[in-house]
């Protein structure tokens, strides 16, 4: 099954997973508006894909500027009224060691929560009405979370917590859209660790040079993620070890069944 949507706004497209998946979209004939904080990177992206199989546009935006998000959403749909998919990839990861509380940087923690979770709520609120207005045309919001939303690791518990919060939010959002018979499909992509700048020496100096080599090669991740996003059953797309070692195919399915039972029970109590 080919990817269903024709024009995608990709936030966090200036590097890593966002860049790679935006490139894959264009390669497969899907038009892209690439969004990120770094103009130079966006210029490079546009230049690299100027002769691609689909149209490319770019926009500089910082998702942490919450008050600017509604205006940004309006601008994007004014310029691109045929946008039918919003792909949220923005994220940051920082070390957090509670054995040394004096060294815990709470400003960095706050920024991590703002970038990885709070901004996603504001973006969802801003973009969702524009997608709903296109009914009955199928539209979607795609959220990149992480296998760490399911299983936390020790060196970045703050990051894991933000992804777990976002995962819960997505589960509820998806069910609400289904209950309302919405035209907006809610898709979640679960990467494992991937070799990107997320944990390179610049962003996590505690790792030194080895950080850039942690995880799955980006090209391998992109191919598997794209296959999942292009599948008929693509509401949840776990990649590589997320399916097995990190529990998606096992206990996470049982947990989601329990959530469904809880939601059904609560509906009964309302009648």
């Amino acid at each position: 099954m080919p990817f269903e949507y024709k024009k995608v706004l990709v936030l966090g497209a200036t590097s890593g997973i966002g860049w790679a998946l935006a490139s894959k979209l264009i390669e497969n004939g899907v038009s892209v508006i690439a969004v990120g904080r770094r103009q130079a990177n966006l210029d490079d992206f546009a230049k690299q894909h100027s002769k691609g199989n689909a149209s490319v546009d770019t926009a500089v935006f910082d998702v942490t500027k919450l008050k600017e998000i509604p205006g940004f959403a309006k601008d994007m749909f004014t310029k691109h009224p045929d946008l039918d998919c919003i792909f949220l990839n923005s994220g940051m990861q920082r070390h957090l060691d509670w054995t040394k509380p004096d060294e815990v940087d709470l400003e960095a923690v706050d920024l991590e929560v703002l970038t990885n979770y709070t901004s996603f709520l504001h973006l969802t609120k801003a973009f969702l009405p524009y997608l709903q207005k296109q009914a009955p045309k199928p539209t979607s919001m795609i959220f990149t979370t992480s296998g760490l939303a399911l299983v936390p690791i020790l060196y970045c518990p703050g990051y894991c917590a933000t992804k777990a919060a976002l995962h819960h939010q997505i589960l509820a959002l998806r069910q609400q859209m289904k209950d309302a018979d919405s035209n907006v499909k809610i898709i979640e992509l679960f990467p494992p660790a991937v070799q990107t700048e997320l944990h390179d020496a610049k962003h996590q100096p505690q790792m030194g040079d080895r950080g850039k080599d942690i995880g799955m090669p980006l090209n391998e991740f992109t191919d598997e993620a794209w296959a999942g996003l292009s599948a008929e059953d693509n509401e949840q797309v776990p990649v590589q070890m997320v399916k097995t070692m990190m529990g998606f195919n096992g206990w996470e399915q049982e947990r989601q069944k329990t959530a469904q039972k809880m939601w059904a029970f609560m509906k009964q109590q309302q009648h």
Side-chain angles (χ1 to χ4, degrees):
M1 174 181 174
F3 188 74
E4 186 173 4
Y5 310 101
K6 304 304 181 185
K7 182 175 282 190
V8 183
L9 183 78
V10 182
L11 291 106
T14 54
S15 65
I17 287 173
W19 177 297
L21 286 172
S23 300
K24 181 65 78 171
L25 287 163
I26 295 167
E27 178 185 323
N28 285 271
V30 180
S31 296
V32 164
I33 300 94
V35 180
R37 292 180 294 108
R38 292 171 285 187
Q39 181 69 66
N41 290 34
L42 292 173
D43 291 343
D44 288 344
F45 182 89
K47 182 178 180 180
Q48 179 175 322
H49 297 92
S50 61
K51 297 181 181 179
N53 298 325
S55 67
V56 181
D57 196 4
T58 64
V60 174
F61 189 72
D62 183 347
V63 299
T64 66
K65 295 181 178 179
L66 302 182
K67 292 183 179 180
E68 297 181 13
I69 288 176
F72 172 68
K74 181 179 180 180
D75 290 344
M76 290 297 99
F77 274 94
T78 298
K79 189 174 183 180
H80 300 280
D82 55 341
L83 260 176
D84 56 0
C85 177
I86 308 300
F87 198 161
L88 306 179
N89 282 281
S90 304
M92 62 176 292
Q93 185 184 105
R94 298 293 183 267
H95 274 237
L96 181 59
D97 184 357
W98 288 106
T99 68
K100 302 173 183 177
D102 291 343
E103 297 180 12
V104 169
D105 183 352
L106 290 178
E107 289 188 1
V109 174
D110 288 343
L111 182 58
E112 199 169 34
V113 173
L114 173 60
T115 303
N116 296 353
Y117 182 67
T118 308
S119 72
F120 279 59
L121 300 183
H122 285 251
L123 290 162
T124 301
K125 178 177 172 60
F127 281 105
L128 191 56
Y130 293 100
L131 297 174
Q132 290 172 321
K133 289 175 183 176
Q134 298 182 46
K137 176 184 175 181
T139 63
S140 72
M141 296 193 73
I142 306 175
F143 299 82
T144 298
T145 59
S146 171
L148 299 180
L150 309 180
V151 181
I153 55 176
L154 294 181
Y155 74 78
C156 59
Y159 177 85
C160 300
T162 62
K163 293 298 185 178
L166 185 58
H167 174 53
H168 277 227
Q169 165 67 22
I170 292 166
L171 289 175
L173 173 63
R174 179 183 296 118
Q175 190 61 47
Q176 289 175 357
M177 293 298 102
K178 288 183 176 181
D179 289 347
D181 196 23
S182 175
N183 67 311
V184 185
K185 189 173 189 177
I186 304 301
I187 298 171
E188 182 173 3
L189 173 64
F190 301 82
V194 180
Q195 293 174 15
T196 70
E197 67 175 36
L198 186 72
H199 27 64
D200 64 11
K202 176 182 177 181
H203 296 94
Q204 296 194 62
Q206 299 90 340
M207 289 186 172
D209 290 338
R210 67 186 178 88
K212 68 181 186 301
D213 297 321
I214 290 176
M216 187 178 188
L218 181 58
N219 63 330
E220 294 180 14
F221 163 79
T222 304
D223 288 344
E224 186 174 339
W226 178 249
L229 291 169
S230 302
E232 184 174 356
D233 181 14
N234 67 348
E235 284 187 341
Q236 300 187 87
V237 182
V239 175
Q240 203 210 40
M241 66 186 297
V242 178
K243 300 174 185 176
T244 52
M245 180 179 176
M246 302 185 84
F248 182 87
N249 287 350
W251 56 263
E252 173 62 15
Q253 296 307 302
E254 294 303 313
R255 192 173 76 99
Q256 292 189 25
K257 290 177 184 177
T258 301
Q260 291 288 341
K261 292 177 183 178
M262 174 65 77
W263 298 335
F265 173 77
M266 294 182 70
K267 286 181 182 178
Q268 291 176 352
Q269 298 304 304
Q270 293 171 2
H271 296 292

